[in-house]
Amino acid sequence: MALLKIVLYPEPVLHTVGKPVEEFDDRLKKLVGDMFETMYEAGGVGLAAPQVAVSERLFVMDCSSSEDESQKFVMINPEIIHVEGSQEGEEGCLSFPGIYQKIQRNQRTIVRYQDLNGELQELDGMDLTARCILHETDHCDGIVFLDRMTVLRRELAKRKIKRLQKTGKWE
Ligand code: NI
């Protein structure tokens, strides 16, 4: 396995709708293995393919951050089929190092996706799991968490990003 380079905002690939995954082959298995390694190394709980410059609809997730096998998920061609409730909580994103901001998300979501073998699966997630599924599915649609902030919070975040870019801390 290999560590992949995580691309930072505003790389165009982060704002591009990913292509559906069609081939469940060795290339995909290697990509997923590398994405898990990259996510754990970076200390994240989720990582989507566009964040490693692959414009495809998949992400890896482990909200336990413990490399517990039962908490490791690969979601390929994810589709949100149900949402309910709402929660507000702080989010970060590996493509926005040092930026944390409160984001409104649904409290619960049911996602339908394909696993590494192409089999259809569903996961019913609450709280942090729901937040992570929604954040990562957004990446597959070319949406970043900045787009989900209130206008005021987005302006604050953009100002901080500009400061970090100027001082060479955005890389
Ligand atoms: Ni993200």
Side-chain angles (χ1 to χ4, degrees), residues 73-117:
F73 290 97
V74 184
M75 298 199 179
I76 299 165
N77 300 321
E79 191 188 344
I80 303 297
I81 58 172
H82 178 78
V83 289
E84 63 183 64
S86 92
Q87 58 170 324
E88 191 177 70
E90 197 158 85
E91 275 184 34
C93 177
L94 293 176
S95 295
F96 292 76
I99 304 294
Y100 298 91
Q101 193 52 276
K102 280 188 181 159
I103 310 268
Q104 190 95 27
R105 297 278 186 188
N106 295 106
Q107 187 88 40
R108 177 186 177 199
T109 183
I110 302 175
V111 60
R112 184 177 292 157
Y113 62 96
Q114 285 168 283
D115 63 20
L116 260 184
N117 300 313

Side-chain angles (χ1 to χ4, degrees), residues 155 157-167 170:
E155 286 314 310
K158 279 187 170 170
R159 242 181 274 165
K160 183 163 185 198
I161 292 166
K162 269 199 192 118
R163 271 205 309 277
L164 291 169
Q165 285 169 331
K166 265 189 202 151
T167 53
W170 194 257

Side-chain angles (χ1 to χ4, degrees), residues 14 46-48 51 91-96 105 135-136 139 143-145:
L14 293 173
L47 181 70
Q51 294 183 274
E91 275 184 34
C93 177
L94 293 176
S95 295
F96 292 76
R105 297 278 186 188
H135 179 119
E136 301 308 331
H139 275 304
I143 296 167
V144 294
F145 82 148

